[in-house]
Amino acid sequence: MSTASTRLPEGRYGRSSDERADRKLKIAGAVLGAALLVLVGYFAYHYVVETKISAQVITFEATDNAVKVHLEVHKDSGTDGYCTLRSQAADGSEVGRADFRFTASDTRVDQVVTLRTTAKGTTAELLGCHTG
């Protein structure tokens, strides 16, 4: 006795619905993967290219009318820029803000700057650095 085959004849009825769904999922996965790769590349490029100056406050010393800030700046050689510092009083009010320009050709600038204040400052905060 022979058993009857339950498979459909190949090529007679086209692709099965499972094969069509698998193909659509593969295409959607490829498109989403490519979009994610482009997005990660975009953010990585802008992070690397736009970051030309970075700095950090090492220490600070406050007096009644000024704050001396030890600032360490890392930048590309030949890049000019400035960093914005501010100081706040104990009650949180801003008592001083100033921009400090760096034009040296060195890639690392280690400098103590004086931020004048209207009252005794209790903080020295680096707000950011920019090229220009």
Side-chain angles (χ1 to χ4, degrees):
M1 229 188 217
S2 70
T3 58
S5 174
T6 58
R7 289 182 27 187
L8 297 174
E10 285 187 34
R12 187 165 181 184
Y13 297 103
R15 292 185 177 176
S16 72
S17 62
D18 288 341
E19 289 175 347
R20 284 191 298 264
D22 287 347
R23 185 167 187 256
K24 287 179 183 178
L25 284 174
K26 286 179 184 176
I27 291 171
V31 168
L32 289 175
L36 181 63
L37 187 62
V38 167
L39 187 66
V40 168
Y42 173 80
F43 284 118
Y45 174 78
H46 281 284
Y47 178 77
V48 171
V49 170
E50 297 298 322
T51 305
K52 293 185 179 179
I53 297 180
S54 66
Q56 63 182 357
V57 173
I58 305 298
T59 60
F60 68 92
E61 180 183 337
T63 61
D64 288 339
N65 59 358
V67 177
K68 290 187 178 184
V69 181
H70 181 188
L71 192 62
E72 182 180 34
V73 179
H74 295 274
K75 62 184 187 68
D76 293 341
S77 181
T79 301
D80 295 338
Y82 63 93
C83 293
T84 304
L85 294 170
R86 82 169 175 178
S87 182
Q88 293 177 313
D91 64 359
S93 63
E94 186 176 282
V95 293
R97 178 186 295 240
D99 293 334
F100 295 96
R101 184 158 291 282
F102 299 97
T103 58
S105 62
D106 299 335
T107 58
R108 181 178 175 272
V109 178
D110 196 6
Q111 188 173 353
V112 176
V113 296
T114 302
L115 174 63
R116 303 277 179 216
T117 58
T118 56
K120 183 169 177 96
T122 58
T123 64
E125 183 180 4
L126 177 65
L127 297 179
C129 296
H130 306 281
T131 60

